[in-house]
Amino acid sequence: MATIYIENKPYEVSAGKNLLEVCLALGFDLPYFCWHPAMGSVGACRQCAVKIFKDESDTRGKLFMSCMESVRDGLRLSISDAEAKEFRAHVIGWLMTNHPHDCAVCDEGGSCHLQDMTVMTGHNYRQYRFDKRTYRNQYLGPFLNHEMNRCIQCFRCVRFYKDYAGGKDLDVFAAHNHLYFGRSEDGVLESEFSGNLAEVCPTGVFTDKTLKQHYTRKWDLTMAPSVCHHCSLGCNITAGERYGSLRNITNRYNGEVNGYFLCDRGRFGYEFVNSANRIRKPLLRNQLPEATDKQTALQATAAAIKQGRVIGIGSPRASLESNFALKTLVGEDNFHDGVSDAEHDLICLALRILREGPARSTSLREVEQADAVFILGEDLTNTAPMLALAVRQSVRQQPIAEEVPKAKFPVWQDAAVRELLQNERGPLFSATLDHTKLDEIATQTYFASPDDIARLGFAVAHLIYPDAAEVGGLPQELQTLAQQIADALMAAKKPLVISGTSSGSEAMLNAAANIAAALVAREKAAGIVLTLPECNSLGLTMLGGHRLESAFDAIGNGHADTAIILENDLFRRAPEATVTRFLATCKQVIVLDHLHNPTTEKANILLPAGTFSEADGTLINNEGRAQRFYQVYPTPEDIQESWRWLMELGNALSHKQIAHWRAFDDVLRAITTAQPELAGIEEITPHADFRIAGQRIPREPHRYSGRTAMRANLNVSEPKPPEDPDSAMSYTMEGYRGEPPASMIPFFWAPGWNSIQSTNKYQQEIGGHLHGGDPGVRLIEPAAQAAEAFFASAPEEFQPLAGHLLLLPVHHTFGSEELSMHAPGIHERAPSPYVVLNADDALAMKLAVGEPLEFNVSGQAYRLPVRISPDFPSGTAGLPVGLPGVPYAELPAWAILNSDLQWKQQAQVTY
């Protein structure tokens, strides 16, 4: 610790820290532009000047840029010194020389960091009287607008896009006062993290194009804390609504999960909520008109349940509460988890590894701190994008730890550190089906089938800990690679193993568990990350449920005749013929969902469920962290949460376990009572009766405008605001104006800080945890010692089969996830259907790029254009998961080639 003096008042702070972030953490308002807590300092804008004095007798002092100065014991400085204030005012004047001053039409107006800093420095009037420099703006794709004339040349955009996120197609051009930040030509930004430019940019150069289409100021949004539903990582988001439609997603800081950033799928996939494909009224398919009111639908559903033997099918994209309500309604023996049998087995294995294994399931923040990483089988950029972003930061840890102390300058001096390290990176080993975007930073890559990747993993585990299973018949080059990986993991202080379910391989999960357990056995502080298919895959598995196949059997064998399907398109879970037969056999099909899909089209009764923005609920991410999302706005018409539909059905049926439920907290208590392993979820957020100074937490900023006019076309008398029985938040701008608990922060705002940069006012230290701790509760901690069952046998080496291809799953950031594909921007970025082949296999079959490959999987015929990859495993093919136009197949699976494309059984055809 060090004692520094600000305005002659002493403060205890951490030595070696950046002086700017220390001042901000202490609550001082000090303007800045180029500095960012996740990216360090470069000293480009000169806006954060302070006066530093040699000692207490020094009255003159000297101007320093606080972002480039380390904290040291006895340091004396002044923020309010007249010369420092004058210098900062001059700087903002220079930066604003060519700015168009178009706040009235700028999308950032009112939530702009540039506006905040301009006010903070006292800059009121422009002094420049000549022609301004102007630029032509670029088309950058469906997510971002570009208005280069607003640029103040802080370099934040290229520092994030290139240095932090690894993007290649955005750069800075020209020099001096004519810098241009953009692409070399118009075109879609290629990075999966491009949307962060809208928050990283302190001005209106890069703005959210989806929000612009709604024409809404950010202060006019009703907002609530939420959790992203588009992958298993559980990134925290803030969702904003106006006039009954969701209009904006911004990052919600969580120091253990996503920090300051989001991927583009999480940021822009929200527009499925506003889709024309929404289910907005209950539908009864046995009457005309089909659309009916809520009470009639409840009566019809209750009658259908009374008359039949009922099963329930849950969903990994539905909340824990909704799944539990369905499980309670139909009974434990009749509840099925709604995922394919292969996925069921994989997630159960992943849960067992996390519960019984000795390695800690690491958070994204901990991933960034790992100093050696081994990835088995996961294309992270496409299955868990923010995890890929964290891995990009991890490869800097080892060279920073080794080289920067020798150079004797602080880690936060970003430009100096990057100049010192150049392309030097720590150990990252990637074993995947094909090339990934992380290959460019990998120490070594290995492309092979899932079984062969698993064999490499088993070999690494055995080299680390000889009691682990040995792998026979491994080629010399793989033995050498395994030794290299083992040595790097053993040399690291914080080694990390990453795998997941996307390849459909249990052997790969076992291999990852083996490596992590072997490292712990050698007394290494090893971590493990297992990615899962959907936002609540782990929560659903922890809740417990039978296989989907047993649901099909129950109906097919006559043990049940009515199915309640919760937020689940079964045609994405099983072959079309199987699902069609199952639904046709059901006497009654009752579906709760929010978007029309092939399953809802088969429903006899269809109940409109609320989306994440219209519901309260809990998700458990791949780490085992339970987090709550809040309803952003009360739903119109007859839309409500799935758990509330099921609760009301239970009340209508006088169900003894449900009859006393009235609100969200009742469901939470029932979950923790019925399943003690989920104890803790009731403590994620304060209960609905929580108040601060007798007040609720407002969802609307105090600047919210137009409320009294919003319904003036219907009634000039403003109606009573709706009440929220499920949380301590209000749907109005009235309420407690101080800082709420971290899990209930609806938006970040502080006096003088109207932009997202106000996050610093909510943190214990800049870039650290939020006051009171980050949102969420970890439900899984590592076991005391390794379970011997993880030391399973390695699989046999993959052998191609003549006339067949082993069909493997291929994932896409844009296209594979079900809900986000209903967002126009995501849909635009998604690829067309295809199948990927190894180059040699394509040559043997005389197929060129774009030509169709015909094959059959379990009776399902496919005819897809070919893509060719030189490194995709020979004897296999890649089938994109979830794309419209690609029928479901449980992968991996053997595909039978049409006879005219089969390989000739000749010696020259080898694998």
Side-chain angles (χ1 to χ4, degrees), residues 19-20 29-32 45-52 62-68 77-81 83-89 91 121:
L19 184 56
L20 170 60
D29 289 341
L30 184 57
Y32 63 89
C45 70
R46 325 304 290 171
Q47 184 62 75
C48 61
V50 295
K51 180 70 72 68
I52 294 182
K62 188 176 180 181
L63 291 176
F64 284 84
M65 302 307 118
S66 61
C67 74
M68 300 298 290
L77 71 141
S78 172
I79 297 172
S80 61
D81 177 83
E83 187 180 357
K85 291 174 67 176
E86 182 183 9
F87 182 88
R88 295 197 296 264
V91 169
T121 55

Side-chain angles (χ1 to χ4, degrees), residues 809-821:
V810 176
H811 296 262
H812 290 276
T813 307
F814 308 117
S816 292
E817 197 275 326
E818 178 183 3
L819 300 180
S820 61
M821 270 296 281

Side-chain angles (χ1 to χ4, degrees), residues 434 810 834-838 865-869 872 876-880:
D434 200 2
V810 176
Y834 68 93
V835 62
V836 61
L837 291 179
N838 174 273
V866 166
R867 289 188 183 181
I868 296 176
S869 169
F872 206 83
T876 71
L879 187 70

Side-chain angles (χ1 to χ4, degrees), residues 291-302:
T292 187
D293 61 86
K294 175 182 172 182
Q295 289 305 317
T296 302
L298 280 171
Q299 293 169 8
T301 307

Side-chain angles (χ1 to χ4, degrees), residues 518-807:
L519 286 166
V520 173
R522 294 292 300 273
E523 300 183 348
K524 304 298 291 185
I528 187 169
V529 176
L530 301 177
T531 65
L532 302 175
E534 296 184 59
C535 61
N536 204 25
S537 292
L538 194 64
L540 179 62
T541 302
M542 292 176 72
L543 195 63
H546 300 292
R547 297 171 181 271
L548 183 58
E549 188 65 35
S550 64
F552 297 160
D553 291 342
I555 295 293
N557 297 332
H559 300 307
D561 52 25
T562 297
I564 303 176
I565 302 171
L566 171 67
E567 298 183 35
N568 204 334
D569 180 8
L570 298 185
F571 289 92
R572 295 176 65 94
R573 312 291 181 184
E576 181 179 357
T578 302
V579 177
T580 300
R581 183 168 57 252
F582 163 72
L583 296 175
T585 307
C586 290
K587 179 181 176 182
Q588 292 282 348
V589 176
I590 302 166
V591 177
L592 298 89
D593 216 331
H594 38 72
L595 288 170
H596 287 286
N597 57 52
T599 298
T600 65
E601 296 305 311
K602 303 288 185 180
N604 303 104
I605 300 175
L606 183 56
L607 304 178
T611 63
F612 77 94
S613 64
E614 301 157 338
D616 290 271
T618 304
L619 303 178
I620 301 178
N621 75 349
N622 68 311
E623 177 197 351
R625 182 181 299 270
Q627 301 180 108
R628 178 171 175 181
F629 58 94
Y630 282 86
Q631 187 176 28
V632 184
Y633 53 99
T635 53
E637 305 170 63
D638 293 315
I639 300 172
Q640 58 184 8
E641 300 102 322
S642 293
W643 59 261
R644 197 179 300 278
W645 277 111
L646 295 165
M647 180 180 72
E648 293 181 358
L649 277 172
N651 290 330
L653 294 166
S654 300
H655 194 289
K656 63 179 182 179
Q657 292 175 277
I658 298 178
H660 67 281
W661 294 0
R662 293 294 180 270
F664 183 83
D665 286 347
D666 298 328
V667 186
L668 277 185
R669 280 189 289 269
I671 294 174
T672 55
T673 300
Q675 302 197 222
E677 65 273 19
L678 295 174
I681 63 170
E682 76 280 7
E683 303 300 328
I684 296 172
T685 59
H687 296 289
D689 58 0
F690 173 79
R691 300 291 185 273
I692 303 178
Q695 297 177 302
R696 288 177 176 264
I697 310 301
R699 286 176 168 90
E700 297 172 354
H702 69 281
R703 300 181 296 162
Y704 191 90
S705 63
R707 188 178 77 184
T708 56
M710 290 177 75
R711 293 173 53 88
N713 61 320
L714 304 175
N715 193 324
V716 294
S717 299
E718 184 185 358
K720 179 183 177 182
E723 295 185 358
D724 185 355
D726 301 311
S727 81
M729 302 184 75
S730 72
Y731 291 111
T732 69
M733 59 194 293
E734 291 81 22
Y736 180 68
R737 282 296 160 197
E739 184 178 337
S743 59
M744 297 182 66
I745 298 172
F747 47 84
F748 291 104
W749 181 89
W753 298 81
N754 297 290
S755 76
I756 195 67
Q757 313 298 326
S758 57
T759 303
N760 71 76
K761 298 294 185 180
Y762 293 76
Q763 295 169 326
Q764 297 174 20
E765 62 177 9
I766 303 303
H769 302 293
L770 293 171
H771 295 153
D774 296 306
V777 173
R778 274 182 61 102
L779 302 180
I780 299 175
E781 293 297 339
Q785 59 184 9
E788 292 186 3
F790 291 152
F791 298 117
S793 300
E796 295 296 321
E797 184 179 1
F798 170 70
Q799 296 294 333
L801 182 62
H804 295 68
L805 291 170
L806 181 62
L807 210 57

Side-chain angles (χ1 to χ4, degrees), residues 33-35 42 44-45 95 151-159 179 181 200-203:
F33 289 114
C34 64
W35 174 81
V42 292
C45 70
L95 295 177
C151 183
I152 58 167
Q153 304 174 17
C154 71
F155 287 87
R156 267 192 182 190
C157 56
V158 293
R159 291 180 61 217
L179 297 179
F181 296 87
V200 167
C201 177
T203 74

